Each structure stands twice: as structure tokens, then as C-alpha cells.
Amino acid sequence: MFKRPPTDTHFILLTLALVLVMAVPTFNTLVSNEEISEEDVLMVSTTLASRTPASVPAVAPMKVESALSNLTAFDLSCPKPGLEAISVTGSFVQFQGKNCLKNYKDGDVEIVNKSNGYTASVFSRGINKYQTDLIQLQKGENEIAIRYREGSGKAVEQIIRVRSSQI
């Protein structure tokens, strides 16, 4: 009439029995020496070769290029006014250089591609030296403005034209 409630020992013994019931057939299949026929191997290989994921459409393989393969680095140390257009074959350009203005306020350089509105990040590389991140170009003519700020607060702007022939 009255039953004792199950104890931890009962649960452990029941779990051990279930593990043994499942382990014996598994161990049996691992140690058996059944030979696999060539027909079975051929059937499995043709089935696997013909299957493709349903969620991925079948397309031709594409060649993927990194952004660095389309990068052109250019030194802008003291660019002269009226500099002719720079031609590049990539879709990115990176500038490095130094400011040659007198009374230059260190760290006040802004570089903007006016053609697409991209503002480059400018990193200081020492006194009056800087380097930009990758500036994205659009195909054709790009007008890039370099703005320096003098110690008095007056902004000086230089325009460089970069012509990109490949995107």
C-alpha cells in the first residue's frame, strides 16, 4: 500500500541500465568486421554528389577581390596648387603626407571626397605628418578637398582631382 519514494540510488541504477542497453549494440557495430561492398560506396558517393542545399541557388563561381587589391597609395607632401589630375586604376586611394603651411595647428586636417561626400579619417604620424584611411572613389573624376587649419583658425583648402578608371 505504502510505497517508498524513489531515492538517488534508484535513479542512478535506472540510468546505468539504460546506458548499458544502448551501449551494447553500439559497441557491437563498432567492432564488427562487415565488409562494405563497392555498390554501397558507389551508391553513397553518387547520392552525395548530386545533392545541393535547397536554400542556395545554383550560380557560377565568382572571383572575389579584396579591397586592398584596388588600393592606390599616394604621397601628398606639400602638394602644389594646380596639380594635374591623378589617375588610379583602383576604387580606393590612401593619402599620406605632411603639411607645409606656417602656423599650422597640429591635428587639424580634413580630407573630403566632394564627389561622393566621403570624409576620410586622418591619423597623425608625428609632427605635421598624417595618413588617411581608404578613401572610396567613384568611377570617373573625383574632387578631393584637403583642408588645413592654421593656428589663427583660418582654413586653407587645396583641391586634388583623382580619376578612377576601374571600380
Side-chain angles (χ1 to χ4, degrees):
M1 260 195 187
F2 295 105
K3 285 188 169 183
R4 291 187 323 193
T7 62
D8 289 342
T9 309
H10 290 114
F11 286 117
I12 291 173
L13 290 174
L14 181 64
T15 304
L16 181 64
L18 288 174
V19 168
L20 288 175
V21 166
M22 291 172 44
V24 170
T26 304
F27 182 74
N28 230 0
T29 59
L30 289 175
V31 295
S32 67
N33 279 337
E34 292 181 22
E35 289 191 26
I36 300 174
S37 68
E38 287 184 28
E39 293 174 1
D40 292 337
V41 172
L42 184 60
M43 181 184 71
V44 169
S45 64
T46 55
T47 303
L48 291 177
S50 65
R51 294 189 60 170
T52 59
S55 62
V56 179
V59 293
M62 294 174 34
K63 182 181 177 188
V64 178
E65 290 186 32
S66 73
L68 293 178
S69 66
N70 290 328
L71 166 70
T72 302
F74 192 74
D75 188 8
L76 287 181
S77 295
C78 304
K80 306 287 186 255
L83 183 70
E84 63 184 59
I86 302 167
S87 292
V88 297
T89 57
S91 54
F92 295 96
V93 69
Q94 183 179 38
F95 292 126
Q96 61 183 2
K98 69 179 198 167
N99 183 6
C100 300
L101 296 177
K102 294 183 179 179
N103 299 326
Y104 166 69
K105 187 176 177 186
D106 194 25
D108 263 350
V109 177
E110 183 180 28
I111 298 179
V112 178
N113 185 346
K114 289 184 171 183
S115 301
N116 62 10
Y118 180 80
T119 301
S121 296
V122 180
F123 307 102
S124 178
R125 294 183 55 206
I127 299 174
N128 291 342
K129 293 183 180 179
Y130 62 87
Q131 181 172 353
T132 66
D133 61 347
L134 300 179
I135 300 172
Q136 188 172 11
L137 302 173
Q138 66 182 18
K139 189 171 184 175
E141 187 93 5
N142 291 268
E143 187 175 286
I144 298 180
I146 302 172
R147 297 182 190 119
Y148 301 101
R149 189 163 309 279
E150 293 181 344
S152 64
K154 179 184 173 192
V156 176
E157 182 175 285
Q158 295 175 326
I159 302 293
I160 296 178
R161 299 195 187 291
V162 178
R163 187 173 300 120
S164 177
S165 61
Q166 173 187 344
I167 297 290

